[in-house]
Amino acid sequence: MLTSCRACSRSTKRASSLCARSIAAFAAILICGASVFTSCINDIDDNPVTPDNPDSPELADYAILLYGNGGGNLDDAIVENIQQFYAANPASFDKVKIAVQYKFSTEKDMKKLMEDLQSEGALGAFEYMQEWLKVWKDRLGKTYRFTVDASKKAEEQLGAESLYASTDCHIAHADSLTHFINWAVKACPSKHYVLILTNHGTGYTPDDDLPYTPAAATRGLIYDAETVNEDGDTEHLTLHSLNHAIASSDIRPQVVYFDACLMNSLEYWFELKNSCDYVIASSFLVPGVGGDYTALTDLLANCHEDIESALRGFDMACVERWNESEKEEERKYFDMSVIRTSGLNAYGNKIRTFTDKLLEAYQSGDDAQKRIDQVTSYALKILSSDPYYDMLCYAMTLAAAVPDFLKTPYNEMQQCYDNECIVAHQTSDYLSTEGITGSVMLGWEGQYEYLSWYEDDNNTLKILFKTIYKPDGTAIEIDFEDEENPPYKFDWGSTFADSYEQTAFDKATGWSRWIWTNKQRPATMSAFSKDYKPLYPSN
């Protein structure tokens, strides 16, 4: 398998940035752009499926609904994930039904991937994909929809009998996801539903996740390179459009599982808290191999509807699989959390109290502000490019800096998370000592930044360009390799008040008040980057 990771970096309207999918045995640095999403829907049941006996009172315990796209360079990995369903214990299919809608990357995407592999000298990966394409090339750009038949092979079902659309199946549109869920519920009537979203992913930022209306430009998850808007950007789902898609469907899934990078953010948890019972996601990068779908199927079949025991087992199985598949990597950024959404109201109250006390401490005098600023300047950043920081790691270090104000609210927040929210959390050995929980956006004076990094000839990380997103809806991009031209200014599409302050997370916690008040630019480099020096902020 060509392994990489399930993250896609963003770009402004002017410059593209390096895709984060370079973490594997055949690692290759690929170029991928940002995306916006336009209104389009395929609402015709080209390939309807009827349950074997729709009148039977015996429902399956669970139905797994897999929805995804190859994202330009994940097809081999996701096809293998689909194949894993067929490797489950035959008896599991009495308890668990599976519905799939998968759109392959386009021929254009695949050509670009092969060119990139060659240019980066990734000969092993190039040869592997050449062999893979001999089997799958005729499916590129096509969408398949079917229920898994354990008596067949994935190659058969990802074929002509299950062809849903040859072109124009806009899988990144919210209505397309809603339509799939409703179809799958009829095809696989069950007591409980597990929705898997598989593709590239990224965490929450306002410019990359604009407020949703059916006609709005939005961004975030399930990147579909075939559907491109007038600016040349690809469509994808977003926090708001995803929630809209699920809320508009005929069922409330018990579980929403992101088999994609960087989706374990508090902003996503809170937006989905009324749309599902559990969220499964990773704070860091997910390897290209993705989740263990055989394990998920068998665990659900044997849990006797004790869903939390199944999810704990699945959590562990995935991280163990990733550690094994990436064992040659010195640093393993692998984690997975299972969050119980019923605990988020209580957790939100604790975060609000902590935020209240943080603001009080910051405004109490110069000494407290100085100590808090020092913590912020080396906060645990999830990824070097994006403004995502681990919430409880940050809160813990703030509490240590000003214990008179923050020790008690931090302890209460931590205990609430442990007791009410967390079902399971697994990390690689490298991350386990950090106490990773979930990411939150952090900025200063109502703004935040995106950074594009590269490695110079001396193997030192350098900033290629940075973009500062201002709270009034403007943005400034500075190109460090083009110092002769002035910074590029543009509108990013909304304002801080109309985007971040409208999220369910901010309404519950008031976290934006801290982003407005904080005067210290947060750490610019991830703590897991080789050049990071926590005692010497790289600001």
Side-chain angles (χ1 to χ4, degrees):
M1 172 190 290
L2 168 65
T3 53
S4 47
C5 74
R6 300 189 178 205
C8 188
S9 61
R10 302 177 297 129
S11 69
T12 67
K13 297 181 186 300
R14 173 169 169 259
S16 62
S17 58
L18 290 179
C19 179
R21 307 193 56 204
S22 56
I23 258 189
F26 299 116
I29 297 179
L30 306 174
I31 301 295
C32 54
S35 12
V36 276
F37 138 141
T38 53
S39 180
C40 189
I41 180 172
N42 184 325
D43 59 359
I44 300 173
D45 237 338
D46 298 290
N47 186 36
V49 175
T50 303
D52 292 335
N53 184 5
D55 297 323
S56 172
E58 294 298 323
L59 296 176
D61 287 343
Y62 295 95
I64 299 172
L65 315 184
L66 174 68
Y67 186 84
N69 170 249
N73 55 356
L74 279 175
D75 295 274
D76 66 305
I78 298 177
V79 166
E80 182 173 313
N81 290 144
I82 294 171
Q83 290 170 327
Q84 289 168 2
F85 286 132
Y86 298 79
N89 187 323
S92 294
F93 295 99
D94 293 333
K95 298 285 188 179
V96 180
K97 305 302 179 184
I98 302 162
V100 174
Q101 182 167 317
Y102 181 68
K103 181 177 182 180
F104 283 84
S105 298
T106 64
E107 290 188 31
K108 181 180 178 180
D109 292 332
M110 199 58 63
K111 180 180 178 181
K112 179 66 167 63
L113 171 62
M114 300 300 279
E115 290 173 351
D116 288 337
L117 293 176
Q118 282 187 302
S119 66
E120 295 297 327
L123 181 60
F126 179 81
E127 292 176 346
Y128 169 83
M129 289 306 299
Q130 277 188 317
E131 292 301 310
W132 187 89
L133 285 168
K134 289 179 180 178
V135 177
W136 299 98
K137 185 176 181 180
D138 64 344
R139 296 170 174 84
L140 296 182
K142 298 177 181 178
T143 302
Y144 297 87
R145 179 188 275 189
F146 58 93
T147 57
V148 168
D149 181 346
S151 68
K152 298 182 179 180
K153 294 182 178 180
E155 290 85 343
E156 295 177 70
Q157 294 210 267
L158 282 167
E161 68 177 44
S162 303
L163 180 64
Y164 179 60
S166 297
T167 58
D168 296 329
C169 182
H170 300 318
I171 200 165
H173 194 283
D175 288 344
S176 179
L177 175 56
T178 300
H179 186 241
F180 164 69
I181 294 173
N182 291 344
W183 169 86
V185 168
K186 294 177 181 177
C188 300
S190 303
K191 298 175 184 176
H192 310 288
Y193 295 91
V194 176
L195 175 63
I196 301 177
L197 300 166
T198 179
N199 184 261
H200 293 295
T202 185
Y204 175 85
T205 50
D207 70 288
D208 207 32
D209 214 321
L210 300 177
Y212 176 72
T213 65
T218 54
R219 313 163 178 79
L221 171 75
I222 306 290
Y223 292 74
D224 187 350
E226 185 180 5
T227 52
V228 180
N229 78 338
E230 61 185 12
D231 294 324
D233 295 322
T234 58
E235 294 183 356
H236 52 267
L237 286 171
T238 176
L239 179 157
H240 303 287
S241 60
L242 170 63
N243 195 45
H244 176 85
I246 296 172
S248 300
S249 71
D250 292 339
I251 53 105
R252 183 179 187 274
Q254 190 173 28
V255 180
V256 174
Y257 164 39
F258 297 108
D259 198 357
C261 295
L262 305 169
M263 297 300 293
N264 193 41
S265 70
L266 275 70
E267 290 88 355
Y268 269 95
W269 300 354
F270 277 77
E271 209 67 32
L272 292 172
K273 71 182 177 67
N274 296 321
S275 297
C276 62
D277 297 329
Y278 303 92
V279 174
I280 307 178
S282 297
S283 297
F284 290 88
L285 304 180
V286 173
V289 296
D292 187 335
Y293 293 7
T294 301
L296 178 61
T297 305
D298 289 339
L299 285 164
L300 290 174
N302 293 293
C303 74
H304 306 292
E305 297 189 64
D306 176 9
I307 185 68
E308 292 195 0
S309 70
L311 298 183
R312 282 192 291 270
F314 178 60
D315 194 4
M316 181 174 295
C318 288
V319 174
E320 288 179 349
R321 168 179 165 83
W322 299 340
N323 283 334
E324 178 61 27
S325 69
E326 306 293 326
K327 60 185 177 183
E328 69 280 2
E329 290 291 320
E330 293 182 5
R331 294 183 172 184
K332 302 172 182 176
Y333 304 80
F334 307 142
D335 72 299
M336 180 183 279
S337 293
V338 181
I339 301 300
R340 186 188 297 114
T341 60
S342 63
L344 291 179
N345 286 337
Y347 189 43
N349 289 335
K350 298 300 183 183
I351 295 174
R352 177 174 284 277
T353 299
F354 180 87
T355 305
D356 291 342
K357 298 298 291 184
L358 174 58
L359 292 168
E360 182 182 341
Y362 200 67
Q363 296 164 343
S364 66
D366 292 342
D367 182 61
Q369 180 175 330
K370 183 178 179 180
R371 282 181 280 161
I372 292 171
D373 282 346
Q374 185 179 19
V375 169
T376 302
S377 69
Y378 60 86
L380 179 60
K381 194 177 189 186
I382 299 299
L383 193 67
S384 295
S385 57
D386 296 281
Y388 317 142
Y389 298 79
D390 188 271
M391 181 70 199
L392 284 179
C393 287
Y394 183 45
M396 177 180 64
T397 51
L398 288 170
V402 283
D404 291 348
F405 288 92
L406 297 180
K407 182 179 179 180
T408 297
Y410 164 72
N411 286 337
E412 291 178 353
M413 185 167 64
Q414 174 75 63
Q415 290 170 7
C416 183
Y417 172 81
D418 290 341
N419 296 335
E420 303 293 333
C421 302
I422 190 70
V423 174
H425 184 80
Q426 301 292 332
T427 70
S428 66
D429 292 340
Y430 185 76
L431 295 181
S432 60
T433 58
E434 301 293 341
I436 306 304
T437 54
S439 68
V440 67
M441 199 190 86
L442 182 60
W444 73 106
E445 297 180 328
Q447 62 190 347
Y448 62 95
E449 68 182 341
Y450 172 78
L451 301 166
S452 177
W453 297 85
Y454 73 102
E455 195 169 282
D456 66 12
D457 293 338
N458 296 319
N459 297 320
T460 299
L461 289 177
K462 300 289 187 181
I463 300 177
L464 179 63
F465 69 85
K466 72 176 180 181
T467 307
I468 298 176
Y469 295 90
K470 301 289 186 178
D472 64 358
T474 61
I476 299 174
E477 181 185 297
I478 301 171
D479 188 337
F480 290 93
E481 294 194 340
D482 188 12
E483 297 179 356
E484 294 182 1
N485 291 322
Y488 173 65
K489 298 181 180 180
F490 61 95
D491 293 330
W492 58 261
S494 187
T495 65
F496 188 73
D498 289 337
S499 56
Y500 197 88
E501 292 181 32
Q502 303 310 309
T503 62
F505 171 70
D506 194 58
K507 289 180 178 180
T509 66
W511 182 248
S512 63
R513 294 173 297 153
W514 173 236
I515 297 176
W516 276 110
T517 304
N518 171 41
K519 299 182 183 303
Q520 171 64 48
R521 178 185 178 199
T524 60
M525 190 178 291
S526 166
F528 305 105
S529 299
K530 63 180 181 179
D531 293 340
Y532 183 80
K533 298 178 178 63
L535 298 182
Y536 302 94
S538 55
N539 294 349

